[in-house]
Amino acid sequence: MVNYLLMITAELENLTDLQPQGGCDDPNFSYYFKLKCGNCGEVTQKETCVTFNETVPSAKGKGETHLSQKCKFCSRDGTVSMITGRGRPLTQEQAEAGKFAPLMLFDCRGFEPVGFLFGSGWKVESLAGTKFNDIDLSGGEFAEYDEKGEVPVMISNLRAKFDVVK
C-alpha cells in the first residue's frame, strides 16, 4: 500500500483559494490521471476518472474502493481509494512562493498515479472577495475581470505532482 498526495500549484493573479467547486473534499469532483502498473511499468493510454462518491467492490472482496481495474498488459489487479481530509486550497501566498498545495490523498495498490489533468469544476476567489465558480481549467488557464476589485484576474501555469507519503 502506497499513499500518493496530489499536489497542485499555479500562477494566481489577484486570486486566492483555488480548489474544487465543493471544497477540497468535494464528493462530486472528478480526478483524471493515468495509472502506471506497479508490476510491469505499463502506463494506461487514457486517463482514468476517480470520484469520491462513486465506489466499486474491491477485487479481493474486502470492502469498497473508488477504482478497481486490471493492467491491460500484464493483467495484474490494482485499486485506487481516496482518503479525504488532507486537501487545502492553493493560496496566493503559496502560488507566489512557487509552493504546492495538497489536494487529495490516494491509497494506491498495484498502480501509481501519473499525469493529473486539470478539468472543470473549480472555484477561486479574488483578493477583493469576488467568487468565481465552475471554472474549466482544461485549457490550461482562466482569465476574467474582477469588477469589484477593478483588476484583471488570471490562473495560469498549472502544475501537478503526486508525492509519496507515509
Side-chain angles (χ1 to χ4, degrees):
M1 157 181 95
V2 179
N3 288 337
Y4 294 91
L5 187 59
L6 173 60
M7 307 286 288
I8 63 164
T9 193
E11 290 177 19
L12 301 179
E13 183 181 333
N14 299 311
L15 294 169
T16 191
D17 294 343
L18 177 63
Q19 62 187 311
Q21 186 61 43
C24 288
D25 290 335
D26 185 345
N28 300 308
F29 186 77
S30 297
Y31 293 86
Y32 293 92
F33 48 83
K34 292 186 178 186
L35 293 170
K36 180 178 178 181
C37 178
N39 185 47
C40 69
E42 186 73 12
V43 177
T44 57
Q45 289 183 350
K46 293 183 179 175
E47 286 77 19
T48 299
C49 176
V50 183
T51 306
F52 189 75
N53 69 358
E54 294 177 16
T55 58
V56 294
S58 177
K60 296 181 175 49
K62 297 177 183 172
E64 292 189 329
T65 185
H66 295 99
L67 175 73
S68 179
Q69 74 180 44
K70 284 185 182 289
C71 173
K72 286 188 175 20
F73 193 71
C74 73
S75 298
R76 186 168 180 182
D77 285 324
T79 62
V80 176
S81 297
M82 300 167 72
I83 302 168
T84 59
R86 298 287 293 270
R88 291 191 313 273
L90 177 66
T91 65
Q92 169 84 27
E93 294 77 25
Q94 289 170 312
E96 278 187 358
K99 293 184 178 173
F100 284 76
L103 191 61
M104 178 59 73
L105 186 63
F106 297 91
D107 174 358
C108 300
R109 298 166 194 240
F111 287 115
E112 173 185 341
V114 294
F116 174 74
L117 278 185
F118 286 89
S120 60
W122 295 86
K123 71 177 179 179
V124 71
E125 189 173 324
S126 76
L127 298 178
T130 304
K131 294 182 181 350
F132 296 92
N133 295 305
D134 293 319
I135 298 170
D136 185 353
L137 295 175
S138 58
E141 62 181 35
F142 166 79
E144 195 64 62
Y145 186 77
D146 178 14
E147 306 225 353
K148 190 177 188 180
E150 299 181 351
V151 292
V153 295
M154 189 161 139
I155 302 169
S156 60
N157 199 16
L158 294 159
R159 297 183 307 282
K161 64 181 181 176
F162 288 96
D163 284 352
V164 175
V165 294
K166 301 285 181 211

